[in-house]
Amino acid sequence: MKPHSFRERLVILDAKLLITLVVYMACIVSYMVHSGERLRGHDIGPTGKTVARNLKRLRGNVTLRELQQRLRGVGHEISASGIQKIEAGVRRVDVDDLVALAVVLGVNPNALLFPKSLDEPVAVTGADPAGLVRVWEWADGITPIDGDVGSDDYIRGLRPDFIPAGNTKIGPVTFDDLNLRVDELSAIIKTLVDQNAAKEQSGDGND
Protein backbone atom coordinates (compact mmCIF):
# COMPACT_ATOMS: atom_id res chain seq x y z
CA MET A 1 0.00 0.00 0.00
CA LYS A 2 1.35 3.35 -1.05
CA PRO A 3 2.13 5.58 1.97
CA HIS A 4 0.23 8.80 2.31
CA SER A 5 1.93 11.89 1.05
CA PHE A 6 2.65 14.77 3.37
CA ARG A 7 -0.33 16.71 1.99
CA GLU A 8 -2.64 13.73 2.47
CA ARG A 9 -1.46 13.33 6.07
CA LEU A 10 -2.24 16.99 6.71
CA VAL A 11 -5.76 16.53 5.31
CA ILE A 12 -6.33 13.49 7.55
CA LEU A 13 -4.98 15.38 10.57
CA ASP A 14 -7.23 18.36 9.78
CA ALA A 15 -10.24 16.05 9.54
CA LYS A 16 -9.45 14.48 12.91
CA LEU A 17 -9.02 17.92 14.48
CA LEU A 18 -12.30 19.06 12.97
CA ILE A 19 -14.15 16.04 14.37
CA THR A 20 -12.58 16.61 17.78
CA LEU A 21 -13.55 20.29 17.67
CA VAL A 22 -17.15 19.45 16.71
CA VAL A 23 -17.45 16.97 19.59
CA TYR A 24 -15.92 19.50 21.99
CA MET A 25 -18.31 22.26 20.87
CA ALA A 26 -21.27 19.89 21.22
CA CYS A 27 -20.24 19.19 24.82
CA ILE A 28 -19.97 22.93 25.53
CA VAL A 29 -23.42 23.61 24.03
CA SER A 30 -24.95 20.78 26.05
CA TYR A 31 -23.39 22.13 29.25
CA MET A 32 -24.61 25.67 28.50
CA VAL A 33 -28.14 24.43 27.84
CA HIS A 34 -28.32 22.55 31.12
CA SER A 35 -26.68 25.40 33.02
CA GLY A 36 -29.11 27.82 31.41
CA GLU A 37 -32.02 25.72 32.61
CA ARG A 38 -30.74 25.93 36.17
CA LEU A 39 -30.10 29.66 35.91
CA ARG A 40 -33.52 30.28 34.40
CA GLY A 41 -35.10 29.16 37.64
CA HIS A 42 -35.69 25.43 37.43
CA ASP A 43 -34.17 25.00 40.88
CA ILE A 44 -35.67 28.10 42.51
CA GLY A 45 -37.44 26.98 45.65
CA PRO A 46 -40.54 28.30 47.42
CA THR A 47 -38.69 31.04 49.30
CA GLY A 48 -37.06 32.20 46.06
CA LYS A 49 -40.50 32.45 44.48
CA THR A 50 -41.75 34.44 47.48
CA VAL A 51 -38.81 36.83 47.10
CA ALA A 52 -39.74 37.31 43.44
CA ARG A 53 -43.33 38.23 44.32
CA ASN A 54 -42.33 40.50 47.20
CA LEU A 55 -39.69 42.32 45.17
CA LYS A 56 -42.20 43.16 42.47
CA ARG A 57 -44.72 44.33 45.08
CA LEU A 58 -42.24 46.40 47.09
CA ARG A 59 -40.68 48.00 44.02
CA GLY A 60 -44.06 49.53 43.23
CA ASN A 61 -43.68 52.51 40.93
CA VAL A 62 -39.87 52.52 41.14
CA THR A 63 -38.50 51.77 37.69
CA LEU A 64 -36.04 48.97 37.08
CA ARG A 65 -33.38 51.51 36.11
CA GLU A 66 -33.98 53.54 39.24
CA LEU A 67 -33.67 50.48 41.45
CA GLN A 68 -30.48 49.54 39.61
CA GLN A 69 -29.08 53.00 40.39
CA ARG A 70 -30.07 52.70 44.05
CA LEU A 71 -28.24 49.39 44.28
CA ARG A 72 -25.21 50.89 42.60
CA GLY A 73 -25.30 53.69 45.13
CA VAL A 74 -24.81 51.19 47.98
CA GLY A 75 -22.05 49.35 46.12
CA HIS A 76 -24.03 46.42 44.77
CA GLU A 77 -24.61 45.71 41.10
CA ILE A 78 -27.75 44.10 39.68
CA SER A 79 -28.71 45.17 36.19
CA ALA A 80 -32.21 46.29 35.32
CA SER A 81 -32.69 43.11 33.31
CA GLY A 82 -31.37 41.11 36.27
CA ILE A 83 -33.97 42.69 38.56
CA GLN A 84 -36.66 41.91 36.00
CA LYS A 85 -35.50 38.28 35.87
CA ILE A 86 -35.62 38.05 39.67
CA GLU A 87 -39.21 39.30 39.66
CA ALA A 88 -40.06 36.79 36.94
CA GLY A 89 -38.63 33.97 39.06
CA VAL A 90 -35.93 33.07 36.55
CA ARG A 91 -32.87 34.44 38.38
CA ARG A 92 -31.69 33.29 41.76
CA VAL A 93 -31.03 35.79 44.55
CA ASP A 94 -27.97 35.32 46.77
CA VAL A 95 -27.74 36.69 50.30
CA ASP A 96 -25.87 39.82 49.21
CA ASP A 97 -28.54 40.56 46.61
CA LEU A 98 -31.24 40.07 49.22
CA VAL A 99 -29.70 42.36 51.83
CA ALA A 100 -28.87 45.07 49.30
CA LEU A 101 -32.40 44.99 47.91
CA ALA A 102 -33.85 45.27 51.42
CA VAL A 103 -31.58 48.25 52.14
CA VAL A 104 -32.50 50.22 49.01
CA LEU A 105 -36.20 49.38 49.35
CA GLY A 106 -36.17 50.52 52.99
CA VAL A 107 -37.48 47.26 54.43
CA ASN A 108 -36.36 44.43 56.68
CA PRO A 109 -35.04 41.37 54.79
CA ASN A 110 -38.03 39.48 56.19
CA ALA A 111 -40.29 41.62 54.01
CA LEU A 112 -38.67 40.02 50.98
CA LEU A 113 -38.30 36.52 52.36
CA PHE A 114 -41.78 35.69 53.62
CA PRO A 115 -45.37 35.87 52.37
CA LYS A 116 -47.42 38.91 53.30
CA SER A 117 -50.92 37.70 52.55
CA LEU A 118 -52.96 34.57 53.18
CA ASP A 119 -53.74 34.65 49.46
CA GLU A 120 -50.11 33.66 48.76
CA PRO A 121 -48.65 30.17 49.15
CA VAL A 122 -47.39 29.76 52.74
CA ALA A 123 -44.17 27.96 51.91
CA VAL A 124 -40.67 28.14 53.35
CA THR A 125 -37.71 26.27 51.93
CA GLY A 126 -36.82 23.35 54.20
CA ALA A 127 -39.85 23.67 56.46
CA ASP A 128 -43.53 22.85 56.54
CA PRO A 129 -44.97 25.71 58.64
CA ALA A 130 -48.37 25.43 60.28
CA GLY A 131 -49.46 28.76 58.84
CA LEU A 132 -48.55 32.32 57.98
CA VAL A 133 -48.59 33.49 61.60
CA ARG A 134 -46.11 30.76 62.58
CA VAL A 135 -43.82 31.83 59.72
CA TRP A 136 -43.77 35.44 60.89
CA GLU A 137 -43.45 34.55 64.56
CA TRP A 138 -40.38 32.52 63.57
CA ALA A 139 -39.06 35.39 61.42
CA ASP A 140 -39.54 37.84 64.32
CA GLY A 141 -37.73 35.53 66.74
CA ILE A 142 -40.81 34.69 68.79
CA THR A 143 -41.03 30.95 68.28
CA PRO A 144 -39.29 28.15 66.34
CA ILE A 145 -40.88 27.31 63.03
CA ASP A 146 -41.15 23.62 63.97
CA GLY A 147 -41.85 24.09 67.67
CA ASP A 148 -39.19 21.53 68.61
CA VAL A 149 -36.83 23.89 70.44
CA GLY A 150 -37.54 25.23 73.91
CA SER A 151 -38.39 28.93 73.82
CA ASP A 152 -35.57 30.00 76.17
CA ASP A 153 -32.92 28.10 74.21
CA TYR A 154 -34.34 29.42 70.97
CA ILE A 155 -34.27 33.04 72.08
CA ARG A 156 -30.72 32.74 73.44
CA GLY A 157 -29.53 31.55 70.04
CA LEU A 158 -31.03 34.45 68.10
CA ARG A 159 -28.61 37.32 68.66
CA PRO A 160 -25.33 38.27 70.36
CA ASP A 161 -25.38 38.22 74.16
CA PHE A 162 -24.76 41.97 74.41
CA ILE A 163 -27.91 42.75 72.38
CA PRO A 164 -31.03 42.32 74.53
CA ALA A 165 -33.92 40.42 73.10
CA GLY A 166 -36.93 42.43 72.04
CA ASN A 167 -40.50 41.75 72.95
CA THR A 168 -40.89 38.02 72.49
CA LYS A 169 -44.42 37.74 73.75
CA ILE A 170 -47.49 37.97 71.58
CA GLY A 171 -49.70 40.89 72.52
CA PRO A 172 -53.45 40.67 73.08
CA VAL A 173 -55.34 39.37 70.10
CA THR A 174 -57.54 41.96 68.42
CA PHE A 175 -60.21 41.45 65.84
CA ASP A 176 -57.84 42.83 63.23
CA ASP A 177 -55.40 40.05 64.09
CA LEU A 178 -58.02 37.47 63.20
CA ASN A 179 -57.62 38.34 59.52
CA LEU A 180 -54.17 36.74 59.65
CA ARG A 181 -54.84 34.14 62.33
CA VAL A 182 -57.77 32.26 60.85
CA ASP A 183 -56.28 28.82 61.38
CA GLU A 184 -54.05 29.34 64.41
CA LEU A 185 -56.61 31.20 66.51
CA SER A 186 -59.72 29.14 65.82
CA ALA A 187 -59.61 27.83 69.38
CA ILE A 188 -59.38 31.36 70.77
CA ILE A 189 -62.35 32.48 68.67
CA LYS A 190 -64.39 29.60 70.01
CA THR A 191 -63.41 30.53 73.57
CA LEU A 192 -64.42 34.16 73.03
CA VAL A 193 -67.78 33.10 71.62
CA ASP A 194 -68.40 30.77 74.55
CA GLN A 195 -67.45 33.46 77.06
CA ASN A 196 -69.76 35.96 75.40
CA ALA A 197 -72.62 33.46 75.47
CA ALA A 198 -72.00 32.80 79.15
CA LYS A 199 -72.10 36.55 79.91
CA GLU A 200 -75.37 36.94 78.06
CA GLN A 201 -76.90 34.05 79.98
CA SER A 202 -75.62 35.51 83.24
CA GLY A 203 -77.11 38.88 82.33
CA ASP A 204 -80.47 37.34 81.52
CA GLY A 205 -80.47 35.62 84.91
CA ASN A 206 -79.92 38.91 86.75
CA ASP A 207 -82.88 40.66 85.13
Side-chain angles (χ1 to χ4, degrees):
M1 183 177 179
K2 183 180 178 180
H4 294 296
S5 66
F6 179 73
R7 183 182 296 274
E8 288 173 334
R9 287 199 297 269
L10 285 178
V11 171
I12 294 172
L13 180 61
D14 288 344
K16 290 181 178 179
L17 287 174
L18 180 61
I19 293 172
T20 302
L21 180 61
V22 169
V23 172
Y24 178 71
M25 292 301 296
C27 292
I28 291 178
V29 170
S30 176
Y31 173 79
M32 291 176 66
V33 168
H34 287 87
S35 297
E37 288 179 352
R38 290 195 295 272
L39 292 174
R40 283 195 294 271
H42 288 256
D43 61 348
I44 292 179
T47 300
K49 293 174 183 177
T50 299
V51 170
R53 289 191 299 270
N54 284 333
L55 175 57
K56 187 172 183 178
R57 172 179 58 82
L58 291 167
R59 181 169 64 84
N61 295 326
V62 178
T63 67
L64 295 170
R65 291 291 181 188
E66 183 180 348
L67 188 56
Q68 177 187 3
Q69 291 300 321
R70 290 187 187 181
L71 287 165
R72 183 171 294 166
V74 298
H76 192 77
E77 282 289 342
I78 304 179
S79 67
S81 62
I83 297 170
Q84 189 173 38
K85 289 176 181 178
I86 293 172
E87 292 182 352
V90 296
R91 180 190 184 281
R92 293 177 63 84
V93 178
D94 64 28
V95 290
D96 291 313
D97 293 337
L98 181 78
V99 172
L101 285 166
V103 169
V104 298
L105 290 169
V107 298
N108 185 291
N110 289 347
L112 286 165
L113 283 168
F114 304 114
K116 179 179 174 60
S117 169
L118 287 172
D119 296 330
E120 302 176 53
V122 181
V124 176
T125 302
D128 185 18
L132 185 57
V133 172
R134 174 55 67 87
V135 169
W136 277 96
E137 287 177 343
W138 171 62
D140 290 338
I142 295 173
T143 184
I145 197 167
D146 55 10
D148 290 340
V149 182
S151 59
D152 291 341
D153 293 337
Y154 176 73
I155 292 170
R156 279 195 294 270
L158 288 177
R159 50 181 59 80
D161 294 337
F162 57 85
I163 299 179
N167 180 19
T168 57
K169 296 186 179 296
I170 301 175
V173 177
T174 67
F175 286 107
D176 289 337
D177 294 330
L178 298 180
N179 291 326
L180 290 176
R181 300 191 174 213
V182 174
D183 295 328
E184 290 86 350
L185 299 180
S186 59
I188 293 178
I189 294 172
K190 183 178 183 302
T191 300
L192 292 174
V193 171
D194 292 343
Q195 289 177 350
N196 186 58
K199 289 181 180 179
E200 288 182 356
Q201 291 178 358
S202 176
D204 291 340
N206 294 330
D207 290 339

